[in-house]
Amino acid sequence: MNRPAPRELTLLSRTQLSPHMLRLTLGGSAMDDFPADQASAYVKLMFPSDAGARPLMRTYTVRAQRAGEIDIDFVVHQDTGPASRWAQEAQLGDRIMVGGPGPKKMVDTSADWLLMVGDMTALPAISVNLEQLPPNARGYAVIEVATAADIQVLSAPANIEIHWVLNPHPGTDDNGLLDKVQSLPWLDGRPYVWCACEFSSMRVLREHFRAQSDLDRSNLYISSYWKLGVGEEAHKALKQASA
Ligand SMILES: Cc1cc2nc3c(=O)[nH]c(=O)nc-3n(C[C@H](O)[C@H](O)[C@H](O)COP(=O)(O)OP(=O)(O)OC[C@H]3O[C@@H](n4cnc5c(N)ncnc54)[C@H](O)[C@@H]3O)c2cc1C
């Protein structure tokens, strides 16, 4: 299938969701042929680079979609790259090229129980998943945020326990998410595990999950969404080598 051509979208609104999370709504007539129902899919935001070079691409999740517009929730981080900087500085009416959407990142709801693990970059995808789960779903969501004020009110079935892990310096504590995951009872039946976070945390979690005898690889989605100290290009190369 041909990749959809990038489209130019306009910044329609900005909402500061919490100290480290900024929601931007992008839309415009170029959304007319954007496929429906793409919450949790990823898009590629494109930023100009040196003359003649390919644009820099940064990957973000469609947090919500309405007629003619999508919401993207940006982690506001100090070690600025082009995407974080653009999100903080862009004015209403500014335009940006957006590629995609790529595949949605949804859990397998036919599993007996679910475990979703992620840091703030995965919070948009985890939130979409929680919202769309059947009411009888059970399991856990374990989410790392920078401060208590970054904890969001999430819509989730009653039998999904939500656990928040605080890490004021994202990317510096490889074991924060793992420790919380290990403290939770592993439930009976077939699990489905969805996990996305910083590269080093992802590696320790991947080792842990691969050691679970009843967790088949087909029931595990695990990905790093960024790596401390390097931009997306270098992170992508390390991710491919590590896979
Ligand atoms: C499938 C997928 C979906 C994603 N969805 C989202 C999303 O919805 N929202 C979101 O915010 N991110 C999301 N990410 C992560 C996002 O693509 C990266 O954080 C990206 O590196 C940000 O680009 P940048 O230009 O701001 O920084 P880069 O130029 O890539 O990096 C510059 C510096 O910033 C640091 N940095 C990058 N991200 C962070 C961070 N989160 N916290 C602290 N330091 C950081 C890097 O280590 C580097 O030192 C997603 C990634 C993937 C693969």
Side-chain angles (χ1 to χ4, degrees):
M1 204 174 81
N2 288 338
R3 272 193 201 163
R7 61 198 82 221
E8 189 179 57
L9 300 184
T10 304
L11 177 57
L12 301 178
S13 73
R14 325 169 38 96
T15 311
Q16 191 76 46
L17 295 179
S18 73
H20 297 93
M21 191 70 102
L22 181 59
R23 174 166 298 166
L24 300 191
T25 301
L26 304 176
S29 59
M31 282 293 293
D32 290 352
D33 62 350
F34 196 87
D37 186 27
Q38 292 303 303
S40 91
Y42 69 81
V43 289
K44 297 278 183 185
L45 306 189
M46 300 182 181
F47 300 92
S49 58
D50 297 338
R54 295 184 59 190
L56 296 172
M57 304 233 230
R58 294 293 181 265
T59 313
Y60 282 83
T61 303
V62 177
R63 170 64 184 88
Q65 181 175 1
R66 296 170 298 279
E69 58 187 44
I70 52 174
D71 290 337
I72 296 182
D73 291 356
F74 291 78
V75 175
V76 175
H77 58 90
Q78 297 309 316
D79 195 2
T80 52
S84 169
R85 193 179 316 121
W86 183 80
Q88 291 176 74
E89 295 174 357
Q91 304 293 314
L92 298 191
D94 284 359
R95 288 155 185 257
I96 185 164
M97 295 303 293
V98 179
K104 293 166 69 168
K105 306 280 182 201
M106 301 299 286
V107 298
D108 175 3
T109 52
S110 71
D112 295 315
W113 65 281
L114 303 166
L115 172 58
M116 280 165 272
V117 184
D119 64 13
M120 288 189 74
T121 62
L123 180 51
I126 292 175
S127 304
V128 173
N129 269 282
L130 292 174
E131 281 167 5
Q132 297 190 11
L133 287 177
N136 63 348
R138 67 191 186 108
Y140 312 101
V142 179
I143 306 164
E144 182 190 278
V145 288
T147 66
D150 289 301
I151 293 174
Q152 296 186 12
V153 177
L154 302 180
S155 164
N159 289 326
I160 299 282
E161 278 178 25
I162 300 179
H163 296 270
W164 297 94
V165 174
L166 299 187
N167 180 4
H169 304 292
T172 58
D173 177 5
D174 299 351
N175 291 318
L177 286 168
L178 176 67
D179 289 347
K180 178 50 80 176
V181 165
Q182 286 181 313
S183 75
L184 300 171
W186 194 257
L187 303 180
D188 291 333
R190 179 170 68 88
Y192 185 91
V193 175
W194 188 108
C195 177
C197 55
E198 195 274 336
F199 183 79
S200 302
S201 300
M202 179 280 292
R203 293 226 293 194
V204 294
L205 283 157
R206 186 173 62 188
E207 202 176 314
H208 171 70
F209 292 135
R210 286 187 175 169
Q212 300 297 323
S213 55
D214 64 346
L215 180 60
D216 188 87
R217 290 229 180 154
S218 62
N219 291 320
L220 172 63
Y221 165 79
I222 186 155
S223 181
S224 62
Y225 274 13
W226 63 288
K227 177 166 172 36
L228 185 67
V230 303
E232 185 161 322
E233 296 75 19
H235 166 235
K236 209 170 158 189
L238 286 165
K239 191 169 161 174
Q240 276 162 1
S242 159

